[in-house]
Amino acid sequence: KMSRATAQEVFKQANRAGPVANADTSQLDWLEFKYAVSKVSEKIGVHPDEVAVMKPIKIVPGASRASSEDPLRALEGAPLDAIFGHFAASGGQSKKRAKSLDGKEFVQLLEYLTILPDRATKTAAMDFFQKAKRHSSDPSELDWDACSWALQKLAKQINVPFETMHQLRPKGKAIGSPKAGSIRSPGT
């Protein structure tokens, strides 16, 4: 599902994402490996857990994959922390940034979960983001603990069990704007 050149580029990216003290560029440490698996899964359109059990397949040149239409389809059914990890690692941020979400990434996460704009307003979401930053190891972004705190508070306000938030997005639903008038503030 991936060319050797693309695999080598992912390896190089993962190696650069690692700690500066790691001078060995021929191997990946555990965090670099996890980063590489997430990038491979993004590129081939499958959940990271599926990458570990894949068998080599013969590629037919010019064949298209349905998953290339929506690269987020690979996240369907993934646990919430894995979905967080996908959005934290989007854009190829440095290792520090790959562990946290800025405001834009938090909004993208909520859009993916169909919380925005289906169940809450962007203003309400950013209010939760600002409050959650107080619980984060990085005062300008949300690490997993702070994001989890924000999602729990948001889930309570929109009357959705936190444990099922990762299942809110209907299978195959692309991110897009709903019909006018469906945007509402939490709790209304």
Side-chain angles (χ1 to χ4, degrees):
K1 289 190 172 194
M2 171 183 283
S3 71
R4 179 182 300 264
T6 302
Q8 289 172 334
E9 183 56 36
V10 168
F11 183 88
K12 289 176 188 174
Q13 288 174 359
N15 225 305
R16 287 190 299 262
V20 178
N22 181 4
D24 186 0
T25 59
S26 66
Q27 295 183 23
L28 300 178
D29 65 25
W30 176 243
L31 292 174
E32 292 166 343
F33 176 75
K34 285 175 59 177
Y35 176 86
V37 167
S38 75
K39 287 298 175 189
V40 166
S41 67
E42 267 180 46
K43 290 188 180 290
I44 64 174
V46 299
H47 187 273
D49 292 344
E50 294 178 49
V51 172
V53 295
M54 294 183 87
K55 294 179 179 149
I57 60 170
K58 185 175 181 178
I59 301 297
V60 179
S64 65
R65 292 191 312 264
S67 61
S68 65
E69 296 168 15
D70 181 8
L72 297 175
R73 183 164 291 164
L75 294 175
E76 287 179 358
L80 200 50
D81 60 340
I83 296 170
F84 166 86
H86 169 81
F87 285 95
S90 66
Q93 291 92 345
S94 68
K95 190 163 222 154
K96 174 186 172 257
R97 287 270 300 120
K99 296 179 183 177
S100 61
L101 300 175
D102 61 21
K104 180 180 176 185
E105 293 161 338
F106 183 67
V107 166
Q108 290 172 339
L109 170 69
L110 296 180
E111 287 172 341
Y112 172 80
L113 294 172
T114 67
I115 293 170
L116 288 179
D118 295 348
R119 295 171 176 87
T121 64
K122 187 173 178 181
T123 302
M126 291 312 295
D127 184 47
F128 281 107
F129 177 81
Q130 293 301 326
K131 290 176 182 173
K133 287 194 305 186
R134 292 182 233 148
H135 300 273
S136 183
S137 58
D138 182 338
S140 64
E141 297 190 340
L142 302 185
D143 57 21
W144 167 242
D145 291 336
C147 184
S148 178
W149 180 90
L151 292 174
Q152 288 175 33
K153 299 296 182 190
L154 186 56
K156 185 175 181 180
Q157 189 157 351
I158 64 173
N159 203 25
V160 171
F162 171 72
E163 298 77 25
T164 64
M165 287 184 94
H166 69 288
Q167 299 168 344
L168 292 175
R169 183 173 190 240
K171 288 189 187 235
K173 176 178 169 129
I175 294 177
S177 299
K179 295 176 186 171
S182 64
I183 300 173
R184 51 194 163 94
S185 295
T188 59

